Amino acid sequence: MDVGSVTAVSVAVVGVVGTLLSALLTQRAELARERRGELLDVRSCYVALNTATRQYLAALTDQVHALRRDGSGPVRQRLTDARDQHRDVYAEAQLRVPDPVLDLAGQLSRELGAVYGMVKRLDAGAPREGDSVTGAQERIDVLWHLLREMRRRMRAELGVPATAGGREAALPPPAGHRETERGEGTPGTSGTRRGRDGREW
């Protein structure tokens, strides 16, 4: 084989290798874009689920405070709206989020429904045995802790590390999304909930 033939073969081999590498890199880039898109979808779902659950809990808390004041007024409608919004968001989450988060979301959904039923019975003046304003508030307090655990699972699934000192790192919202939500605990306020020891959660 003369030099010209060798050169032609070498060029052909290089061309084939280059084509294969280009196809491989293109495939990997497409897979990476798909993965980023999936993560953005899951993150959006997490943000919506976190917000809807917080708003539901805040509305339940406000309703309990209203019951203590012997009057509910517009709080009733806000609670119904928050319940409906959470139901819709949770239904979408069932199709999108991984099992570790979905297990907690399902537990929260069931317990929220149980507390909602108790609060509505108390508001209607038709409580069942075991129903009480104090009992409702105690169950709500437990649910705030469960929501915190669900957020921790969400961050772990997204690869978001905890900040120094073990405090929660914020769940990053997707681009263009602004999360608006009521505060945890006290009605009509914003911010984080604080336990008796003063720690935020």
Side-chain angles (χ1 to χ4, degrees):
M1 182 178 294
D2 57 26
V3 174
S5 298
V6 170
T7 301
V9 170
S10 299
V11 170
V13 170
V14 170
V16 171
V17 171
T19 300
L20 292 174
L21 286 175
S22 177
L24 180 60
L25 291 174
T26 299
Q27 184 181 32
R28 287 185 175 179
E30 290 175 352
L31 290 173
R33 282 195 297 270
E34 290 176 3
R35 176 59 177 162
R36 283 195 297 270
E38 291 171 358
L39 285 175
L40 286 174
D41 287 344
V42 170
R43 184 170 64 176
S44 296
C45 191
Y46 282 171
V47 170
L49 184 58
N50 179 55
T51 300
T53 306
R54 286 177 59 126
Q55 289 175 340
Y56 195 176
L57 277 169
L60 281 169
T61 301
D62 286 355
Q63 181 73 64
V64 168
H65 285 297
L67 289 172
R68 288 194 173 111
R69 296 192 303 268
D70 296 324
S72 294
V75 178
R76 290 190 185 98
Q77 186 58 49
R78 191 169 77 83
L79 175 56
T80 299
D81 292 344
R83 188 271 312 267
D84 292 345
Q85 176 65 19
H86 178 268
R87 180 185 57 200
D88 293 343
V89 171
Y90 175 63
E92 182 176 356
Q94 288 178 304
L95 303 177
R96 289 179 176 269
V97 305
D99 288 343
V101 174
L102 187 58
D103 289 345
L104 283 171
Q107 185 179 351
L108 269 165
S109 181
R110 290 188 295 273
E111 290 298 319
L112 283 165
V115 177
Y116 176 85
M118 179 189 295
V119 168
K120 295 297 284 186
R121 291 192 297 272
L122 290 168
D123 187 36
R128 295 177 183 172
E129 183 178 356
D131 288 353
S132 70
V133 172
T134 300
Q137 185 60 64
E138 289 174 351
R139 293 180 73 170
I140 289 170
D141 289 342
V142 171
L143 289 178
W144 284 118
H145 285 285
L146 189 58
L147 173 58
R148 184 189 181 196
E149 175 61 18
M150 185 175 74
R151 284 199 302 262
R152 189 189 68 79
R153 293 282 183 90
M154 289 175 175
R155 293 193 310 275
E157 291 292 329
L158 293 174
V160 179
T163 58
R167 293 279 300 279
E168 290 185 0
L171 186 67
H177 179 93
R178 182 178 179 184
E179 181 181 354
T180 57
E181 51 191 43
R182 298 286 299 247
E184 298 177 359
T186 21
T189 62
S190 60
T192 54
R193 182 176 176 85
R194 293 180 180 273
R196 293 181 180 178
D197 59 359
R199 294 180 62 188
E200 295 180 356
W201 49 275

